[in-house]
Amino acid sequence: MNILRTEHLKKTFPEATSGQDSCVLDDINISIEQGETYGIIGRSGAGKSTLVRCINFLERPTGGEVYFEGKAMSALPKAGLYKTRQSMGMIFQQFNLLEQRTALKNVRYPMEIAGWSKKDADARAEELLELVNMGDKKKSYPSQLSGGQRQRVAIARAIALNPKVLLCDEATSALDPETTKGVLDLLNEINRKYGITIVIITHEMSVIEYICDRVAILDDSRVVEEGPVLSILKNPQSETGKSFVKPEFRRIRG
Amino acid sequence: MDNFISFFEHVNENTLPMLWEGTLATIYITFLSSLLAYVAGLPLGVLLVVTSKVGVHPIVWLNKLLGFIVNILRSVPFLILLIAVLPLTRAIIGTTIGTKATVVPLFIASFPFVARLVEASLIEVNEGVIEAAWSMGSTPFQIIYKVLIPEALPSLINGAAIAVTTILSYSAMSGIVGGGGLGDIAIRYGYHRYETDIMFLTVIELVVIVQIIQAIGERWAKGSDKRLKLVAGRGLFGLGRAPWAGE
């Protein structure tokens, strides 16, 4: 049963300087199964962030359609869109926590939006912070937390309303390898324990390799390859796929 | 030394009470006008940000209209606006002289300024944080009062210090049309009666008041900004945690 599906998804941005429209996404057709961990990889500028933003309509597609649980996103009225977004969590490369709120109050935010009582919201927020191992930091402000800690708080916030899907936009790109592993472990645990479908956007193949089931490779606004991670790693077909699978840097200095 | 003392030849036993009354009048005018300016200017500033093309709820024609009105009001020199508004002042207050009457032109001159200050503070809020708020299913209204305003609070406080000190200086200018307060004293004694020593004292006072307001505003803004690591551990408005509050 696919929980997310895009059909001929297209997104163009009007280019201010050159006068020509730039097509960032062209005829994207992907479908994501409930409960899987799906990766989307591409170089910078390939369109991955735009793609994930089209999924929860932070960007409105210029053409094509996005289906969440079988329902077309573009058919939703504004109120319906806001409600639907409460079933989708999202975390970001720069964490995007509310800086004037404590960790606890940050995690409480989605519950406030959904109209929970303060007591229930606080209780749930504490529970979530414990889950991501940040229980002792509940009264801390983001400025007092490290990058990895902030991302954990962001994850707690994103899964607060028990979403069906968790979108991760380059969530580990600003973190060192060890912290990255910690965050990915947490995401994996959330996927296994709660069955939340995870969509991971990244430019690092090691991330895809670590926890993804299937992956779509994006290059220059199109999907150039798609399939199970293990088979693509073993035998990449596309040029882009091949370039991702081989090692990144070979020394140029003597 | 004799010259110095003789400079203050007009200071007598009436001077201090008069200066005191003038100070109270100035403070009253300034704070009342500032309050009213924010009552009008804060929502106006929010509207300017929210209805802009890249805002939370774009209404471009409204944005252009509001911007146009604000720009016009801001480009009229204050003294001219003061005089142009005299009939309106008379209609509302019944007179054009005195402290109450000054509030009308001061309000009209400063609420557009406040709106621009508020706009500048709100625009600075991290776009990514607003995006995160959208992704959690917030409505535009929720974004305004749960994200935009709280996240911009330290900047808004700083803006308020700028606004109040500016309004203070405007209030001094209104002394020209008999507005009351320290400016009025400065003009009546210093300009019309050539008693420069009195004027000198009022200027010193105005400078001191501005310094105090600026210092308070700055301290308060910094103290409430949780983005500053040193502040984050210090409780509401940076005034420190109550001794009985736990860790």
Side-chain angles (χ1 to χ4, degrees), chain B residues 120-235:
Chain B
S121 296
L122 294 180
I123 281 187
E124 267 179 32
V125 172
N126 190 343
E127 258 181 43
V129 175
I130 297 176
E131 224 187 7
W134 282 125
S135 76
M136 292 187 270
S138 312
T139 63
F141 197 56
Q142 285 168 330
I143 292 192
I144 294 172
Y145 79 86
K146 281 181 177 301
V147 180
L148 275 184
I149 294 179
E151 289 291 289
L153 198 56
S155 181
L156 287 170
I157 294 173
N158 250 321
I162 296 175
V164 172
T165 50
T166 304
I167 292 172
L168 178 72
S169 68
Y170 280 167
S171 80
M173 273 195 265
S174 72
I176 289 185
V177 289
L182 292 168
D184 190 341
I185 295 175
I187 304 242
R188 265 192 291 136
Y189 288 82
Y191 181 63
H192 292 303
R193 289 160 65 155
Y194 299 101
E195 293 178 24
T196 353
D197 48 344
I198 308 278
M199 180 172 74
F200 182 70
L201 288 175
T202 60
V203 168
I204 301 271
E205 250 208 276
L206 285 168
V207 166
V208 167
I209 297 179
V210 166
Q211 290 305 309
I212 295 177
I213 296 176
Q214 193 63 39
I216 294 179
E218 227 170 287
R219 185 106 203 298
W220 186 13
K222 252 206 185 140
S224 68
D225 192 355
K226 307 299 183 197
R227 292 171 297 184
L228 305 172
K229 266 181 113 150
L230 237 54
V231 171
R234 281 167 61 205

Side-chain angles (χ1 to χ4, degrees), chain A residues 53 56 58 78 81-83 85-86 88-90 92 95-101 106 109-110 112-114 139 141 143-144 157 161, chain B residues 57 126 128-129 131-140 142-143 146-147 150-152 154 224-229 232-233 241 247:
Chain A
R53 275 175 176 67
N56 61 1
L58 286 183
K78 274 219 176 97
L81 177 59
Y82 302 146
K83 196 89 216 302
R85 282 177 177 161
Q86 291 173 16
M88 298 174 162
M90 189 163 183
F92 304 82
F95 326 120
N96 291 339
L97 296 175
L98 290 158
E99 310 214 66
Q100 305 293 336
R101 285 191 178 210
N106 259 288
Y109 184 90
E112 288 175 21
I113 299 294
K139 287 209 158 86
Y141 288 90
S143 64
Q144 298 170 299
R157 182 179 70 173
L161 296 177
Chain B
H57 191 89
N126 190 343
V129 175
E131 224 187 7
W134 282 125
S135 76
M136 292 187 270
S138 312
T139 63
Q142 285 168 330
I143 292 192
K146 281 181 177 301
V147 180
E151 289 291 289
S224 68
D225 192 355
K226 307 299 183 197
R227 292 171 297 184
L228 305 172
K229 266 181 113 150
R241 277 219 167 81
E247 250 309 290

Side-chain angles (χ1 to χ4, degrees), chain A residues 147-164:
Chain A
Q149 291 173 324
R150 291 181 204 180
Q151 196 62 291
R152 287 174 175 272
V153 175
I155 291 173
R157 182 179 70 173
I159 62 173
L161 296 177
N162 264 321
K164 306 270 175 43

Side-chain angles (χ1 to χ4, degrees), chain B:
Chain B
M1 188 56 189
D2 264 340
N3 271 335
F4 182 70
I5 294 183
S6 65
F7 174 69
F8 289 100
E9 58 184 319
H10 300 107
V11 176
N12 54 38
E13 69 275 4
N14 290 325
T15 312
L16 279 171
M18 177 180 71
L19 281 179
W20 178 242
E21 261 190 58
T23 309
L24 289 180
T26 293
I27 292 180
Y28 168 72
I29 297 172
T30 305
F31 281 99
L32 182 58
S33 306
S34 303
L35 186 66
L36 292 172
Y38 264 88
V39 164
L42 181 61
L44 182 55
V46 169
L47 274 176
L48 283 171
V49 171
V50 161
T51 59
S52 96
K53 199 163 68 151
V54 297
V56 153
H57 191 89
I59 307 178
V60 181
W61 67 263
L62 181 60
N63 187 261
K64 288 213 165 107
L65 177 64
L66 292 176
F68 181 66
I69 296 175
V70 165
N71 288 340
I72 296 239
L73 286 173
R74 291 210 60 209
S75 39
V76 178
F78 176 64
L79 280 180
I80 298 189
L81 190 110
L82 191 59
I83 297 173
V85 156
L86 282 177
L88 183 65
T89 310
R90 194 174 285 118
I92 298 179
I93 309 278
T95 170
T96 60
I97 299 182
T99 51
K100 276 227 180 84
T102 332
V103 174
V104 174
L106 271 182
F107 166 74
I108 296 180
S110 39
F111 83 81
F113 179 52
V114 166
R116 285 295 185 207
L117 286 173
V118 166
E119 184 189 16
S121 296
L122 294 180
I123 281 187
E124 267 179 32
V125 172
N126 190 343
E127 258 181 43
V129 175
I130 297 176
E131 224 187 7
W134 282 125
S135 76
M136 292 187 270
S138 312
T139 63
F141 197 56
Q142 285 168 330
I143 292 192
I144 294 172
Y145 79 86
K146 281 181 177 301
V147 180
L148 275 184
I149 294 179
E151 289 291 289
L153 198 56
S155 181
L156 287 170
I157 294 173
N158 250 321
I162 296 175
V164 172
T165 50
T166 304
I167 292 172
L168 178 72
S169 68
Y170 280 167
S171 80
M173 273 195 265
S174 72
I176 289 185
V177 289
L182 292 168
D184 190 341
I185 295 175
I187 304 242
R188 265 192 291 136
Y189 288 82
Y191 181 63
H192 292 303
R193 289 160 65 155
Y194 299 101
E195 293 178 24
T196 353
D197 48 344
I198 308 278
M199 180 172 74
F200 182 70
L201 288 175
T202 60
V203 168
I204 301 271
E205 250 208 276
L206 285 168
V207 166
V208 167
I209 297 179
V210 166
Q211 290 305 309
I212 295 177
I213 296 176
Q214 193 63 39
I216 294 179
E218 227 170 287
R219 185 106 203 298
W220 186 13
K222 252 206 185 140
S224 68
D225 192 355
K226 307 299 183 197
R227 292 171 297 184
L228 305 172
K229 266 181 113 150
L230 237 54
V231 171
R234 281 167 61 205
L236 190 65
F237 293 135
L239 296 177
R241 277 219 167 81
W244 55 84
E247 250 309 290

Side-chain angles (χ1 to χ4, degrees), chain A residues 13-254:
Chain A
F13 286 104
E15 198 60 27
T17 44
S18 67
Q20 270 208 317
D21 286 352
S22 91
C23 181
V24 178
L25 291 175
D26 192 8
D27 195 26
I28 307 286
N29 300 286
I30 57 174
S31 93
I32 300 175
E33 301 294 313
Q34 184 159 21
E36 76 170 330
T37 303
Y38 191 88
I40 299 176
I41 190 170
R43 300 267 171 246
S44 306
K48 351 180 260 299
S49 279
T50 310
L51 176 52
V52 75
R53 275 175 176 67
C54 283
I55 291 180
N56 61 1
F57 263 49
L58 286 183
E59 289 286 356
R60 269 206 120 81
T62 322
E65 187 59 78
V66 177
Y67 295 93
F68 175 62
E69 293 187 307
K71 289 190 287 248
M73 292 286 286
S74 64
L76 291 171
K78 274 219 176 97
L81 177 59
Y82 302 146
K83 196 89 216 302
T84 303
R85 282 177 177 161
Q86 291 173 16
S87 309
M88 298 174 162
M90 189 163 183
I91 58 176
F92 304 82
Q93 181 174 359
Q94 294 303 327
F95 326 120
N96 291 339
L97 296 175
L98 290 158
E99 310 214 66
Q100 305 293 336
R101 285 191 178 210
T102 58
L104 185 78
K105 294 207 172 110
N106 259 288
V107 178
R108 201 174 73 182
Y109 184 90
M111 275 89 77
E112 288 175 21
I113 299 294
W116 288 31
S117 77
K118 251 216 174 111
K119 217 174 62 149
D120 292 336
D122 273 336
R124 172 92 178 127
E126 284 202 36
E127 190 189 309
L128 288 158
L129 280 175
E130 284 298 337
L131 200 137
V132 300
N133 272 322
M134 293 289 297
D136 55 339
K137 297 276 189 218
K138 63 184 181 186
K139 287 209 158 86
S140 302
Y141 288 90
S143 64
Q144 298 170 299
L145 302 174
S146 73
Q149 291 173 324
R150 291 181 204 180
Q151 196 62 291
R152 287 174 175 272
V153 175
I155 291 173
R157 182 179 70 173
I159 62 173
L161 296 177
N162 264 321
K164 306 270 175 43
V165 175
L166 178 56
L167 305 170
C168 310
D169 184 12
E170 306 242 28
T172 57
S173 299
L175 304 173
D176 66 73
E178 198 182 309
T179 316
T180 297
K181 184 171 175 301
V183 168
L184 292 177
D185 283 337
L186 179 57
L187 290 175
N188 192 40
E189 183 189 328
I190 288 172
N191 172 249
R192 290 280 178 251
K193 239 165 113 173
Y194 304 102
I196 298 180
T197 309
I198 309 226
V199 181
I200 296 194
I201 312 300
T202 180
H203 60 266
E204 294 171 290
M205 203 41 151
S206 48
V207 169
I208 304 281
E209 198 178 342
Y210 194 51
I211 58 169
C212 291
D213 299 317
R214 289 194 301 143
V215 63
I217 304 182
L218 239 58
D219 187 33
D220 192 22
S221 79
R222 290 174 164 264
V223 176
V224 295
E225 198 169 347
E226 201 229 10
V229 170
L230 289 174
S231 37
I232 291 191
L233 280 175
K234 233 191 298 199
N235 199 2
Q237 299 295 315
S238 61
E239 281 312 307
T240 323
K242 289 186 189 150
S243 75
F244 270 118
V245 171
K246 78 175 190 325
E248 282 279 13
F249 293 110
R250 305 200 49 227
R251 187 169 175 76
I252 57 169
R253 289 190 157 204

